[in-house]
Amino acid sequence: VLSGCGVYDGTEIHEASAILVHLSRGGAEVQMYAPDVPQMHVIDHSKGQPAEAESRNVLVESARIARGKIASLAKLTTTDHDAVIFPGGFGAAKNLSTFAVDGKDCKVNKEVERVLKDFHKAGKPIGLCCISPVLAAKVLSGAEVTVGHEEEEGGKWPYAGTAGAIKELGGKHCVKEAVLSLTLSYEAHVDTKNKVVTTPAFMCETELHHIFDGIGAMVKNVLKLTGK
């Protein structure tokens, strides 16, 4: 499920690409979806500032990542799929929810909420990375997720405050390392009860290949939970 195209106002493209690579390697068939709604705003990524008097559609922008093969999120059903995965990027906090503006009091897009609840009720796994675990924390009360560490640690975890927000949303935050020194693997957290799998991704300032590997751990566990 995509939220636009570009880290500051949509889907984090590297995360989406990594998910697709790992799903392909795992032998999964993939269909991409996005809500057919306006973006909260448009960011000029070269300046890091809002582009005034410009508006874009989340589905239309997400189609860039999907190479045109995308459908409205309203068409996503549990009967057609074994699992659902949400990449991160500020779009998850701006377009899939209002978390970027409202924090713990945020609202989640009605179709996103429906999808999360439907897959949870059906006992089908849900994967999320980077900032998108806030969606599960808001919608699935008591879900265990990770966004990495709970302290910034000199800028290594610049969005560490999100962990506190997850607790306020009703979720349980589980601290995970960026890289385990012995295995050099990026961690994912598996909430076996709720079948929710999360990994920090770009919540940490680290090398791209570590983020890629962490997303791989998330995808691998999601596929494992499908039982196929």
Side-chain angles (χ1 to χ4, degrees):
V1 176
L2 304 178
S3 61
C5 183
V7 59
Y8 297 122
D9 59 10
T11 304
E12 211 301 316
I13 299 170
H14 297 295
E15 291 177 4
S17 180
I19 290 169
L20 291 170
V21 170
H22 288 296
L23 284 171
S24 176
R25 185 169 287 153
E29 294 183 23
V30 178
Q31 171 63 53
M32 283 175 268
Y33 297 87
D36 188 2
V37 297
Q39 288 186 187
M40 174 184 148
H41 60 188
V42 178
I43 297 292
D44 179 338
H45 281 63
S46 68
K47 298 177 181 178
Q49 299 175 351
E52 301 297 336
E54 185 173 350
S55 62
R56 298 185 186 183
N57 177 279
V58 175
L59 177 62
V60 173
E61 289 301 293
S62 297
R64 295 174 180 272
I65 297 173
R67 297 173 63 86
K69 298 178 181 179
I70 196 166
S72 170
L73 187 59
K75 297 181 179 180
L76 173 53
T77 67
T78 57
T79 54
D80 295 330
H81 302 283
D82 298 308
V84 64
I85 295 179
F86 292 78
F90 280 87
K94 293 179 177 180
N95 304 328
L96 303 188
S97 72
T98 63
F99 180 77
V101 176
D102 300 322
K104 66 181 181 62
D105 298 318
C106 69
K107 295 180 180 179
V108 176
N109 172 278
K110 64 179 183 179
E111 290 296 340
V112 173
E113 182 173 1
R114 176 190 63 80
V115 167
L116 287 168
K117 287 182 175 179
D118 284 356
F119 274 81
H120 183 255
K121 184 178 180 180
K124 294 185 175 183
I126 300 167
L128 311 104
C129 64
C130 196
I131 192 67
S132 66
V134 300
L135 302 172
K138 176 68 175 181
V139 174
L140 307 176
S141 182
E144 296 179 359
V145 301
T146 188
V147 290
H149 276 209
E150 298 180 357
E151 301 292 337
E152 290 189 17
E153 299 178 18
K156 182 177 180 181
W157 297 92
Y159 308 108
T162 306
I166 281 173
K167 297 174 185 177
E168 292 181 316
L169 287 168
K172 179 181 178 182
H173 184 258
C174 301
V175 174
K176 290 293 177 180
E177 298 294 332
V179 183
L180 294 177
S181 59
L182 295 179
T183 62
L184 293 180
S185 64
Y186 205 86
E187 288 193 292
H189 179 74
V190 182
D191 177 349
T192 53
K193 178 182 177 181
N194 293 296
K195 291 190 176 181
V196 173
V197 188
T198 51
T199 192
F202 277 103
M203 297 299 277
C204 181
E205 290 290 335
T206 188
E207 289 83 358
L208 181 59
H209 66 281
H210 293 317
I211 291 166
F212 182 88
D213 290 345
I215 288 173
M218 181 266 285
V219 170
K220 182 178 180 180
N221 279 288
V222 167
L223 294 178
K224 183 178 179 180
L225 286 173
T226 66
K228 296 187 176 182

